[in-house]
Amino acid sequence: DAGVIQSPRHEVTEMGQEVTLRCKLISGHNSLFWYRQTMMRGLELLIYFNNNVPIDDSGMPEDRFSAKMPNASFSTLKIQPSEPRDSAVYFCASRPGGRSGELFFGEGSRLTVL
Amino acid sequence: EDKVVQSPLSLVVHEGDTVTLNCSYEVTNFRSLLWYKQEKKAPTFLFMLTSSGIEKKSGRLSSILDKKELFSILNITATQTGDSAVYLCAVLGNAGNMLTFGGGTRLMVKP
C-alpha cells in the first residue's frame, strides 16, 4: 500500500499567486482530512470529507481557501490569492470507514509564500 | 470546543533517562485518545486508548488513560537519541468525528 501521497512536497511562491496542493488517499479509506501545521499554532484541522462530502470546513481560515474532493481517492486544497501568513506545512490524512481514530498522514506539503 | 493541552512544551534528557509526557483534554462525548510521534515529516501512529486504566505498551513506550481525570501519559524508558521527536496527543469526540490535536511536546534526547 503506497500510503497517503501528497504533492508538491515543497512549494515556494510569491504573494498573490494561486497555490494548489494535492492528495491521494489510501485505497479503501473514506474520510479525508486537511491539516495545517505551524510552529505557533501546531496542527490545525482545516476541513474534512466523508465519502467525498465536506462535513466540516469551520477550520478553513477564509474565503481564499477552498478544498474539493472530485472522487473517492483524490483531493485538492487551493489558496487564491496566497499570502505570507499561509506559509506552513499542509498535511493530508485519511482514515478507513468504521474506525474510531487512527489517521494515516501524508508526508506533507511545505508551502512558503514570499 | 474540544481542547487538548500537552506538557511540558519541550524536554531535554540524556540517553537512558525515563520521560513522562502529559496530555489533558476536554472533549464532548469522548471516544478515544491517540498518541503520535512526529520526526521530520508526517506524524506516525503510536497508540490509541479508549478504556481507562488499561496500559498500552510497545517496547520502551507505554501509555495509559484516566477518563475520570481526563488525562493520559506517555512513558518512554531507557530513552535513545532516536526517540527525539515531537509527541502529539489527539482526542476524538463524537462531535464531528474529528481528531483535535494538542500542541505537542518536543523531546530531545542527548547522547
Side-chain angles (χ1 to χ4, degrees):
Chain A
D1 196 330
V4 175
I5 300 171
Q6 291 187 246
S7 65
R9 295 290 306 279
H10 301 274
E11 173 130 1
V12 181
T13 191
E14 291 188 335
M15 184 172 66
Q17 297 298 306
E18 178 179 295
V19 172
T20 299
L21 308 178
R22 297 173 178 81
C23 174
K24 184 174 184 302
L25 283 73
I26 294 173
S27 177
H29 286 196
N30 66 354
S31 295
L32 179 140
F33 302 77
W34 281 102
Y35 283 89
R36 175 172 69 176
Q37 188 176 40
T38 60
M39 288 291 290
M40 292 296 294
R41 300 173 69 93
L43 264 173
E44 302 173 279
L45 179 66
L46 299 177
I47 185 171
Y48 90 95
F49 295 83
N50 197 41
N51 293 321
N52 304 5
V53 176
I55 303 299
D56 190 323
D57 66 354
S58 58
M60 296 284 262
E62 45 197 271
D63 292 346
R64 298 183 297 107
F65 285 67
S66 62
K68 292 183 181 177
M69 196 166 175
N71 59 56
S73 61
F74 183 74
S75 177
T76 59
L77 177 68
K78 187 176 289 187
I79 309 171
Q80 166 63 21
S82 58
E83 296 183 2
R85 61 191 166 126
D86 302 330
S87 299
V89 180
Y90 291 80
F91 286 103
C92 173
S94 70
R95 186 171 71 203
R99 296 276 292 271
S100 60
E102 184 183 352
L103 292 182
F104 295 78
F105 282 84
E107 299 276 272
S109 294
R110 181 177 293 277
L111 172 65
T112 303
V113 183
L114 303 174
Chain B
E1 186 180 324
D2 296 348
K3 191 175 171 184
V4 180
V5 177
Q6 292 186 246
S7 64
L9 287 179
S10 64
L11 195 53
V12 180
V13 300
H14 287 93
E15 272 192 318
D17 289 348
T18 293
V19 297
T20 298
L21 310 182
N22 303 295
C23 174
S24 63
Y25 62 88
E26 294 172 24
V27 64
T28 305
N29 296 326
F30 174 89
R31 287 171 59 185
S32 57
L33 183 145
L34 293 88
W35 284 96
Y36 282 83
K37 177 182 181 181
Q38 186 177 23
E39 296 174 85
K40 292 188 178 177
K41 297 177 181 176
T44 53
F45 173 77
L46 293 175
F47 298 113
M48 182 165 72
L49 301 123
T50 54
S51 301
S52 219
I54 298 175
E55 185 182 54
K56 290 278 183 97
K57 200 168 170 63
S58 176
R60 296 176 295 102
L61 277 68
S62 64
S63 183
I64 198 160
L65 174 68
D66 185 328
K67 288 166 76 171
K68 185 179 174 187
E69 299 298 329
L70 308 181
F71 78 91
S72 174
I73 59 171
L74 176 68
N75 277 323
I76 310 174
T77 59
T79 51
Q80 301 171 358
T81 55
D83 296 326
S84 297
V86 174
Y87 290 84
L88 295 163
C89 172
V91 293
L92 182 72
N94 262 341
N97 208 26
M98 303 177 294
L99 272 182
T100 301
F101 281 84
T105 293
R106 184 176 294 276
L107 174 66
M108 180 183 292
V109 181
K110 291 188 171 181

